[in-house]
Amino acid sequence: MPKKKLYIETYGCQMNFSDSEIVVSIMNDGGYEVTTKAAEADVIFVNTCSIREKAEQRVWKRLKELKSHKKHNPDLIIGVLGCMAERLKQQLLEEEKAVDMIVGPDAYRKLPELISNTEHGQKAINVILSTDETYAELSPVRYDSNGVTAFISIMRGCENFCAYCVVPFVRGKERSRDPQSISSEAHELFEQGYREVTLLGQNVNSYHWENNGSMVNFATLLKQVALLNPRLRVRFATSHPKDLSDELLEVMAGHDNICKAIHLPVQSGSNRILERMNRSYTREWYLDRIAAIRKYMPDCAISTDIIAGFCTETEEDHRESISIMEEVAYDYAFMFKYSERPNTIAEKKYKDDVPENTKSQRLQEIIELQQRLSLESNQRDLGKTFEVLVECPSKKSIHHLSGRNSQNKVIVFPKGNNKPGDYVNVKVLDCTSATLIGEAE
Ligand code: 5AD
Ligand code: SF4
């Protein structure tokens, strides 16, 4: 029997991309293979994101395009997976008639069964959130991989309830995955030639596993994975400042293969706004954590997420965001305009009262500042030599390779005899705000 074909598109965070690899694994077992052509698919899945309104708009638009494939293939099944499926549930079916399946992030094991439920034209829906699903024993299929770097999901869900955020509502309760299954996945990846794993979760540093009286926290887990092989690099994302312990920083500092890069979303530099956001730390507390990172690892890169124009943000609050960015001198940042999300704490309690053009102006200022900070950060690396893990040919030239250093900066350099998966010492000769340019030593 020829296999049926699955076409899958993924939007949103790394966690969603990692989930799509689990979806493909489950679908392989159900007799489907991945195709990169939507036109030849028997099933189309769109794994969606709800974090900002724009993310959802993109998916609505894409669904309109994808449903045209039903014209030449009336049996085509279109499924919406992930966060939008969880948030909108039934409503999605009502608003887009071409959708046949709605499946939330904890119901992927049921996918083959749900597909067979749609065979007689019925709609299938499962958006039940779980308290213990971690897909622990499944082997994700890295169907769109460079063969060098991979994500490993170590926990799911979030219970921080930041006021602006939809994640706790669409991803459910926090739960950690069995550490043994995480280590074996990392070990297998190394055996297959992978040289870097990123441990993923909405809030990785609150990882917590208990079994028969023994306890594994994130610092212990990170150490276990780092000890598997000194030639396997380990990264992690994302951390919440409130859980960034000295114990974790010590473990990072003590292992060369744990990459020296921390993504520590600040969201705002103003204490008044941080409190409204329910972030549970102050500016001072955040800066103390930054000082701790610098103490343990002077060469550690620090990146952040920051939101412009949260409810009631004044010009003065905005100046505090600008000043914290300068003070930390972030190497990299993801920057957003506040987007009100239905049913979040902010939507219920506060008015989205910063005018759109003020949000845009503040975001623009933040982006321009970060461009300068990133450029300055890269300029500080001129003349330094870094160990680079090669990932792929450079996008711009087949004679160059692209990889990253421990600090997560992209470095491009002439190929020589090197190939993806190699560790190469590269001296930095030039840079832009986004890329280091160098030469193998
Ligand atoms: N509006 C704008 N940005 C948001 N983020 C989360 N929720 C919102 C929202 N409602 C940002 C935060 C978070 C990142 C993943 O997305 O900065 O860290
Ligand atoms: Fe988007 Fe958040 Fe869902 Fe990731 S967890 S896909 S960022 S809504």
Side-chain angles (χ1 to χ4, degrees):
M1 272 267 286
K3 284 199 167 180
K4 290 197 164 188
K5 291 198 163 37
L6 164 71
Y7 173 80
I8 183 163
E9 256 177 39
T10 309
Y11 295 83
C13 63
Q14 293 167 335
M15 194 72 193
N16 243 22
F17 283 82
S18 172
D19 278 2
S20 286
E21 298 180 338
I22 287 167
V23 166
V24 170
S25 163
I26 293 165
M27 291 292 286
N28 274 357
D29 292 346
Y32 286 79
E33 65 184 9
V34 169
T35 170
T36 54
K37 296 189 194 88
E40 65 175 33
D42 299 288
V43 172
I44 293 181
F45 284 158
V46 186
N47 195 356
T48 60
C49 172
S50 284
I51 197 97
R52 283 166 292 274
E53 200 185 341
K54 251 199 192 152
E56 290 198 352
Q57 282 165 355
R58 271 177 75 196
V59 169
W60 284 118
K61 188 163 163 267
R62 193 61 188 133
L63 285 173
K64 295 216 166 16
E65 291 161 8
L66 287 170
K67 76 175 175 192
S68 66
H69 294 293
K70 283 201 165 181
K71 280 190 207 128
H72 61 85
N73 178 8
D75 294 334
L76 171 67
I77 293 166
I78 298 184
V80 176
L81 317 185
C83 299
M84 250 175 103
E86 193 61 50
R87 193 181 85 71
L88 294 167
K89 307 182 171 74
Q90 195 73 26
Q91 192 189 331
L92 235 159
L93 292 177
E94 285 152 22
E95 286 183 33
E96 182 49 85
K97 300 275 184 289
V99 171
D100 305 287
M101 292 170 65
I102 306 287
V103 189
D106 287 344
Y108 297 148
R109 285 183 202 266
K110 297 268 187 319
L111 282 168
E113 190 184 319
L114 290 165
I115 290 180
S116 47
N117 291 350
T118 64
E119 267 161 15
H120 304 290
Q122 287 109 316
K123 306 279 176 182
I125 175 162
N126 188 332
V127 288
I128 299 168
L129 286 173
S130 154
T131 52
D132 58 4
E133 178 63 275
T134 59
Y135 301 112
E137 83 300 348
L138 291 177
S139 298
V141 175
R142 270 102 193 164
Y143 62 95
D144 186 22
S145 161
N146 57 16
V148 179
T149 60
F151 295 122
I152 300 182
S153 162
I154 65 161
M155 57 157 347
R156 301 178 71 81
C158 177
E159 286 166 44
N160 288 328
F161 291 96
C162 299
Y164 49 80
C165 193
V166 75
V167 172
F169 304 95
V170 294
R171 290 259 168 192
K173 288 219 174 292
E174 211 168 88
R175 65 217 99 124
S176 296
R177 176 179 167 190
D178 178 349
Q180 196 49 51
S181 74
I182 298 169
S183 289
S184 357
E185 191 174 330
H187 175 75
E188 266 169 45
L189 285 165
F190 185 83
E191 295 291 304
Q192 291 162 20
Y194 286 83
R195 289 296 173 263
E196 181 183 298
V197 293
T198 301
L199 307 182
L200 274 189
Q202 256 85 30
N203 193 3
V204 280
N205 43 2
S206 66
Y207 177 91
H208 182 90
W209 175 266
E210 264 176 74
N211 200 12
N212 292 334
S214 75
M215 197 270 285
V216 180
N217 64 12
F218 183 61
T220 321
L221 175 76
L222 188 62
K223 194 161 150 182
Q224 276 176 16
V225 177
L227 287 172
L228 288 173
N229 194 304
R231 294 179 59 73
L232 180 68
R233 275 185 175 180
V234 191
R235 300 184 187 277
F236 55 91
T238 286
S239 318
H240 193 296
K242 75 176 166 60
D243 299 317
L244 192 80
S245 65
D246 281 38
E247 184 195 4
L248 172 60
L249 297 176
E250 245 172 76
V251 167
M252 285 182 78
H255 298 265
D256 283 344
N257 60 332
I258 302 182
C259 290
K260 302 298 176 273
I262 298 187
H263 187 66
L264 203 64
V266 66
Q267 314 298 5
S268 167
S270 150
N271 280 335
R272 196 182 67 81
I273 295 293
L274 286 171
E275 195 181 339
R276 293 205 139 208
M277 286 178 161
N278 198 23
R279 286 294 285 172
S280 72
Y281 55 85
T282 59
R283 178 189 175 101
E284 292 70 29
W285 201 88
Y286 182 94
L287 287 172
D288 170 75
R289 291 293 79 204
I290 298 291
I293 298 172
R294 304 252 193 256
K295 183 179 86 184
Y296 285 101
M297 295 168 288
D299 63 340
C300 189
I302 301 175
S303 54
T304 203
D305 292 349
I306 192 157
I307 299 176
F310 185 64
C311 315
T312 76
E313 187 188 72
T314 61
E315 191 55 33
E316 205 178 309
D317 296 319
H318 170 62
R319 300 259 60 90
E320 300 224 45
S321 288
I322 293 287
S323 77
I324 205 165
M325 288 175 70
E326 296 250 29
E327 205 165 329
V328 179
Y330 291 111
D331 298 279
Y332 190 80
F334 294 100
M335 302 155 281
F336 311 102
K337 257 194 274 192
Y338 173 59
S339 160
E340 186 178 80
R341 306 310 292 130
N343 296 323
T344 54
I345 297 167
E347 192 253 356
K348 289 186 180 147
K349 272 175 69 176
Y350 311 127
K351 221 171 124 209
D352 182 12
D353 58 355
V354 178
E356 187 59 26
N357 63 343
T358 310
K359 283 184 190 172
S360 299
Q361 277 167 13
R362 289 181 187 165
L363 179 64
Q364 193 51 35
E365 193 183 348
I366 285 173
I367 291 173
E368 280 167 23
L369 169 59
Q370 187 53 49
Q371 240 160 12
R372 172 166 69 76
L373 294 175
S374 295
L375 181 63
E376 286 170 2
S377 158
N378 283 353
Q379 284 168 339
R380 285 193 292 275
D381 289 339
L382 293 174
K384 291 186 195 164
T385 297
F386 294 103
E387 185 179 64
V388 173
L389 172 60
V390 181
E391 288 176 18
C392 53
S394 138
K395 271 184 228 132
K396 289 191 187 144
S397 146
I398 52 159
H399 304 296
H400 287 71
L401 291 170
S402 173
R404 276 172 302 143
N405 65 6
S406 172
Q407 288 74 11
N408 212 16
K409 288 186 181 179
V410 173
I411 306 194
V412 172
F413 63 99
K415 195 170 166 186
N417 293 322
N418 303 297
K419 58 181 187 316
D422 288 351
Y423 285 102
V424 183
N425 286 325
V426 179
K427 183 169 182 181
V428 179
L429 303 174
D430 198 1
C431 70
T432 66
S433 64
T435 314
L436 299 175
I437 299 147
E439 206 172 73
E441 279 206 323

